[in-house]
Amino acid sequence: STWGLLFFSCESRVMADGLFATLSTVAGSRTATARPSASAASNSVKLHDCRALALAPDGRSVFVACNELVVAIDLERGAVARVVPMDANQMCIAAAGDVLLATSYESAVLALALDDAGAMPRLIAGSHDESGDVDGIGADAAFDTPAGITLVAAGDVAYLCDTRNNAIKTLRRGGACWAPETTRAATLLGTGDGAAESIDGPFACASLNAPYALLLARDETTLYVGEDGALRVLDLEARTVRTLAGSSDLGFADGLGAAARFTTLSGLALDATGRMLLCSDPYNRAVRSVELATGAVATVAGARDRAGSDDGPVGSAAFGAPWGVVALPDGT
């Protein structure tokens, strides 16, 4: 295997997989709680509705987005490192440099400083009150259910899934830090007309079907997009879109390219070689792998007809709904 430790967020737990061998619970409980809680002082955590994960830039902690909280878990100590109260339901997170960007279920993008333990999230684009499809700066921009987000290594540009607008947006930082006065949102792909279709081709002609998850390739020339039923590839230099695996027909099937079936792909992670993607397929209760060279899809763990919260070998372990995934390629 080319994977190191893999972390999945699934309802009330964060789980780890060493080398596609055994799944174990890292934080949370197999018994769901109606309200999440966490304390760095007492190292206690109860998670609920875990929807996303982001690895800290130093690789030492993982951020978990769950209902009403973002919790940072120290991977070396297995302890709660930081707790940020914020409405994190239905959100995705990405970290680079000293900032963590979060998209909320309303219609806003928020930033949180990582080098200030007492910092609170601040809105940098969009609005908590109004949705729409408007390019612009700060609060003048409008989104409709923003979801997946990914940052370039320099931390000054982000790509965003604007799910109900069937679009990908770019966010550009205009100053030394992310601020509403200087953050500019612009449409990279999509029309915002509500048409949900998976059409390949040049950006000017292509379309997306409810894009939800995003991952930027290490060379920053390719965007991988998880949407309803398919994994799409955006070539940022050629400005073209192609479907790597799946189709608009939802389902659960391994196979090659268009023969594979997914539901909503909600999380993406790249392996150490850059040749394979791991995908969260929550409504199929499974984690899937996709070979980038061929589009071959396989089920790594879980199964649509096996709901549960059992740790153990990947062949028998079960998920409620795995939403987010991150990978540590060095295997530590």
Side-chain angles (χ1 to χ4, degrees), residues 53-57 62-64 70 72 82 86 91-103 109-114 121-122 124 149 151 178:
L53 295 173
L55 187 67
V62 63
F63 292 89
V64 186
V70 171
R82 185 176 179 183
M86 61 183 295
M91 69 183 277
C92 296
I93 51 181
D98 64 349
V99 68
L100 177 145
L101 292 190
T103 62
V109 180
L110 302 95
L112 174 68
L114 299 182
R122 60 191 186 277
I124 59 169
I149 192 165
L151 281 154
W178 290 92

Side-chain angles (χ1 to χ4, degrees), residues 99-316:
V99 68
L100 177 145
L101 292 190
T103 62
S104 74
Y105 184 70
E106 289 86 2
S107 293
V109 180
L110 302 95
L112 174 68
L114 299 182
D115 56 359
D116 181 357
M120 295 299 292
R122 60 191 186 277
L123 189 148
I124 59 169
S127 167
H128 285 300
D129 302 319
E130 296 183 8
S131 62
D133 182 29
V134 181
D135 293 346
I137 296 176
D140 291 335
F143 314 106
D144 193 347
T145 316
I149 192 165
T150 187
L151 281 154
V152 302
D156 59 347
V157 177
Y159 296 94
L160 171 71
C161 286
D162 196 353
T163 302
R164 291 188 180 176
N165 283 323
N166 300 302
I168 303 296
K169 305 291 180 71
T170 58
L171 301 175
R172 295 185 182 277
R173 190 185 70 196
C177 63
W178 290 92
E181 297 82 9
T182 57
T183 298
R184 180 179 295 275
T187 300
L188 176 69
L189 170 64
T191 61
D193 60 7
E197 297 182 90
S198 295
I199 299 177
D200 293 344
F203 281 5
C205 306
S207 61
L208 302 171
N209 181 15
Y212 194 95
L214 271 183
L215 181 69
L216 185 64
R218 295 187 180 102
D219 64 5
E220 300 188 352
T221 65
T222 303
L223 267 179
Y224 301 104
V225 181
E227 61 176 27
D228 278 359
L231 177 66
R232 314 287 297 283
V233 180
L234 276 61
D235 186 322
L236 299 177
E237 295 182 331
R239 297 181 66 83
T240 58
V241 184
R242 63 184 176 92
T243 301
L244 179 61
S247 70
S248 57
D249 295 328
L250 307 186
F252 182 54
D254 293 341
L256 187 64
R261 292 291 180 267
F262 308 100
T263 57
T264 296
L265 295 180
S266 60
L268 304 173
L270 196 64
D271 82 339
T273 69
R275 298 173 183 170
M276 185 178 294
L277 276 178
L278 198 75
C279 309
S280 297
D281 192 355
Y283 298 117
N284 280 326
R285 305 188 182 100
V287 177
R288 321 288 293 280
S289 65
V290 182
E291 292 184 8
L292 296 181
T294 65
V297 176
T299 298
V300 174
R304 187 172 189 170
D305 59 356
R306 188 171 68 238
S309 57
D310 295 332
D311 294 347
V314 293
S316 59

Side-chain angles (χ1 to χ4, degrees), residues 19-40:
L19 291 170
F20 286 175
T22 302
L23 287 171
S24 59
T25 299
V26 175
S29 168
R30 299 181 197 180
T31 303
T33 178
R35 189 177 183 85
S37 64
S39 169

